[in-house]
């Protein structure tokens, strides 16, 4: 390993040379308290910035063992350090002069969720700290301006590292609070299983968001308050007693007038599969971490999914036990989403009537009398929801604003009134009994055959060499692997563009190493999840350097991405 003084010598030697001479700086350099590694040098001042990493020995970083011992507290600590480092770096970005991206200092900027990221990794054994970032190497035109890079690497960066990445300089009280919140959130997740709950929403939670483009809590929003009949008290290890609404496993219906908070509650439950930072308002909104939001998705690709539980006897004779289409309808896409979520191991469906295909969700008796059931290939979700709960152990939380048919099926009914919940199960059941129930004489539906999850694919085409396969993210909407785009805009529990990028690298890795015409798709998804868990998200990136903008997705989103890859056969 070279010394920091050698890096300064190289920079002085190449000053005023052509920009490609910056390539001479690549390598690792021992600085006073850390190792600076220049992993990739941009080829042009207008190109994507250079990739730099900072390595700090665990003993020097000094973070206590109780902060890094457990994965959930270690992830929370890395998240907190990354946020602090980002604030430090922001003060110096573009303070060095030059053309193009000269002087840019950039590090991953987390949102409201706490995610495991490649931008900051902590070793569970040694406490070693690794932070990845981007720096725009300065130039005048395309001529090296190394004096400005010396300023960045030897004045700005050391100050940011010292202020943010060493325990002795940290806000230790804040880090203790971060650890305790992560412990409490993990405790609630364990309590969901013990108390047979699908989700928990704490009293005082702020569910509405600031705006459609901001995920921060809305100011002066109505705090959540559990109805007495659904109130649960939990004794958290750090925060003490907390009270909130426990949504039991089974079938739960959320109803109410427009704009009273039905979808807002469901959106909070969708995001409750992740932990949130303090003061987000949803830090104690905890959902079964296998929950999947189900919706219609017109136009999506479906490859070999067994949707016969819901759709049979299509007039075109298509086989619904291994359904294939490049352009799914609303009903077939929603049926596939349900089956694929089951295949991915979900224990909870989250469904909003507004984003569902009506003919998939219900079929009223009058329509059944006019159009004979034998002429209708769709078995609606309402006819399977109890079977899913009783036979498969999969609960459903459904938002309904206009259809009362689910009152007959629901175990619990919650009415939202001005963002406050009220349990109305007994009232709903009484009114359902008084209403003209045309379903009473309807013959019982036979249980569906258990869906087949035996889906095996080979890579559709020969994969390019790893370093030539390009992965490009398009926000949370899509990712392309070697120009093959995978649409993800309706995979609604992707909360960060860095998760989308990670999914792209996972698909790339799977095409290179896992698709062999023998492994089932769910096995491939599980292997990708295991690889990221055991070796870090970087294990799926085999290029010359690890991207600094990856966040670990759940196995449910890994599976969803693979299912939407149109090049699998």
């Amino acid at each position: 390993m070279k010394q920091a003084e050698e890096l300064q010598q190289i920079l002085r030697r190449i000053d005023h040379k052509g920009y490609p001479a910056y390539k001479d700086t690549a390598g690792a350099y021992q600085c006073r308290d850390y190792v600076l590694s220049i992993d990739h040098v941009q080829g042009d001042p207008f190109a994507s910035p250079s990739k730099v990493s900072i390595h700090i020995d665990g003993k020097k970083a000094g973070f206590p063992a109780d902060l890094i011992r457990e994965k959930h507290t270690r992830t929370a600590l890395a998240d907190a350090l990354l946020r602090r480092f980002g604030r430090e770096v922001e003060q110096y970005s573009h303070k060095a002069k030059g053309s193009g991206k000269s002087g840019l200092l950039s590090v991953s900027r987390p949102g409201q969720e706490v995610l495991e990221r490649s931008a900051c990794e902590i070793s569970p054994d040694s406490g070693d700290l690794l932070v990845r970032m981007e720096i725009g190497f300065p130039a005048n035109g395309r001529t090296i301006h190394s004096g400005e890079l010396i300023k960045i690497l030897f004045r700005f960066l050391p100050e940011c590292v010292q202020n943010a990445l060493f325990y002795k300089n940290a806000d230790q009280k804040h880090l203790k609070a971060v650890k305790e919140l992560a412990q409490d959130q993990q405790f609630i997740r364990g309590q969901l299983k013990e108390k047979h709950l699908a989700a928990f929403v704490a009293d005082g939670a702020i569910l509405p968001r600031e705006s459609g483009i901001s995920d921060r809590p809305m100011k002066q929003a109505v705090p959540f308050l559990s109805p007495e009949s659904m109130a649960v008290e939990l004794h958290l290890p750090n925060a003490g007693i907390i009270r909130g609404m426990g949504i039991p496993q089974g079938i739960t219906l959320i109803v109410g007038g427009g704009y009273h908070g039905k979808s807002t509650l469901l959106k909070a439950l969708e995001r409750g599969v992740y932990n949130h930072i303090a003061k987000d308002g949803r830090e104690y909104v905890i959902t079964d971490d296998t929950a999947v939001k189900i919706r219609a998705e017109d136009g999506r690709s479906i490859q070999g999914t067994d949707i016969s539980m819901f759709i049979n006897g299509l007039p075109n004779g298509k086989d619904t036990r291994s359904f294939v289409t490049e352009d799914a309808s609303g009903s077939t896409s929603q049926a596939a989403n349900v089956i694929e979520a089951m295949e991915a191991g979900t224990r909870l469906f989250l469904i909003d009537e507004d984003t569902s295909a009506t003919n998939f969700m219900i079929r009223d008796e009058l329509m059944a009398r006019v159009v004979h059931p034998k002429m209708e290939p769709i078995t609606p979700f309402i006819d399977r929801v109890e079977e899913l709960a009783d036979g498969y152990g999969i609960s459903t939380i459904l938002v309904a604003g206009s259809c009362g048919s689910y009152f007959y099926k629901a175990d619990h009914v919650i009415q939202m009134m001005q963002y406050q919940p009220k349990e109305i199960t007994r009232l709903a059941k009484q009114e359902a009994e008084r209403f003209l129930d045309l379903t009473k004489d309807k013959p019982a539906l036979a249980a569906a055959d258990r869906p087949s999850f035996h889906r095996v694919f080979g890579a559709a085409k020969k994969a390019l060499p790893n370093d030539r396969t390009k992965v490009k993210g398009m926000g949370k909407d899509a990712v392309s692997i070697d120009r093959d785009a995978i649409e993800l805009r309706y995979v609604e529990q992707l909360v960060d563009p860095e998760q989308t990028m990670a999914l792209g690298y996972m698909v790339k890795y799977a095409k290179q190493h896992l698709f062999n015409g023998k492994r089932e798709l769910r096995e491939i998804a599980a292997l990708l999840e295991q690889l990221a868990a055991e070796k870090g998200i970087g294990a799926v990136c085999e290029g010359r350097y690890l991207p600094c903008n990856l966040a670990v997705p759940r196995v449910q989103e890994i599976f969803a991405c693979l299912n939407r890859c149109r090049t699998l056969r």
Side-chain angles (χ1 to χ4, degrees), residues 328-521:
S329 67
S331 58
T332 55
S333 64
Q334 195 159 358
N337 288 341
V338 168
I339 299 301
E340 290 164 1
M342 294 169 67
E343 198 172 352
T346 188
R347 295 186 295 268
L348 175 62
F349 293 137
L350 302 171
I351 303 176
D352 193 331
E353 178 187 82
D354 285 349
T355 56
S356 296
T358 302
N359 61 341
F360 175 78
M361 295 301 297
I362 58 168
R363 188 165 188 262
D364 65 42
E365 185 65 18
L366 181 56
M367 182 60 72
R369 291 186 178 193
V370 174
V371 179
H372 195 277
K374 290 184 178 179
M375 300 300 294
E376 174 54 71
I378 301 173
T379 301
F381 186 78
I382 193 170
D383 290 338
R384 297 292 189 201
V385 66
E386 291 173 308
E387 183 182 343
L388 289 166
D390 298 337
Y392 294 84
I394 302 175
S395 300
T396 296
I397 299 176
L398 168 66
V399 166
S402 60
C403 173
S405 298
Y406 279 87
F407 285 136
Y408 298 104
K409 304 288 186 177
D411 299 311
H412 300 276
V413 182
I414 300 168
Q415 182 178 4
M416 295 300 294
M417 301 174 64
Q418 298 179 342
Y419 288 94
Q420 293 291 7
K422 178 181 179 182
E423 194 203 355
I424 61 165
T425 307
R426 181 177 298 178
L427 172 64
K429 294 293 187 181
Q430 288 173 347
E431 291 300 315
E433 286 298 320
R434 292 171 55 188
F435 192 74
L436 178 60
D437 183 5
L438 298 175
T439 67
K440 287 190 294 186
D441 299 325
K442 187 176 179 179
L445 187 69
D449 292 337
R450 185 169 288 270
S452 169
F453 298 145
H454 183 71
R455 292 194 291 153
V456 176
F457 298 96
K461 57 185 181 182
K462 186 178 179 180
L464 290 172
N466 198 63
D467 58 353
R468 289 177 53 202
T469 305
K470 304 300 181 184
V471 177
K472 181 180 179 182
M474 289 161 267
K476 292 184 291 185
D477 289 346
V479 64
S480 69
I481 301 97
D482 192 29
R483 299 185 181 179
D484 291 329
I486 303 175
E487 294 289 336
L488 297 169
R489 70 186 65 196
Y490 295 129
V491 181
E492 296 183 80
Q493 286 165 290
L494 284 174
V495 296
D496 195 295
E498 294 191 2
Q499 289 178 303
T500 310
M501 281 296 296
L503 288 172
Y505 280 100
M506 285 179 160
V507 173
K508 171 184 169 182
Y509 182 92
K511 285 186 172 183
Q512 296 261 348
H513 302 288
L514 301 180
F515 283 107
N516 60 5
K518 297 178 181 179
R519 290 191 180 98
E520 293 183 6
L521 197 63

Side-chain angles (χ1 to χ4, degrees), residues 60-77:
K60 290 184 178 180
F63 292 97
D66 65 333
L67 284 173
I68 63 177
R69 186 179 299 114
E70 302 293 337
K71 184 172 183 178
H72 53 276
T73 55
R74 189 167 63 251
T75 300
L77 171 62

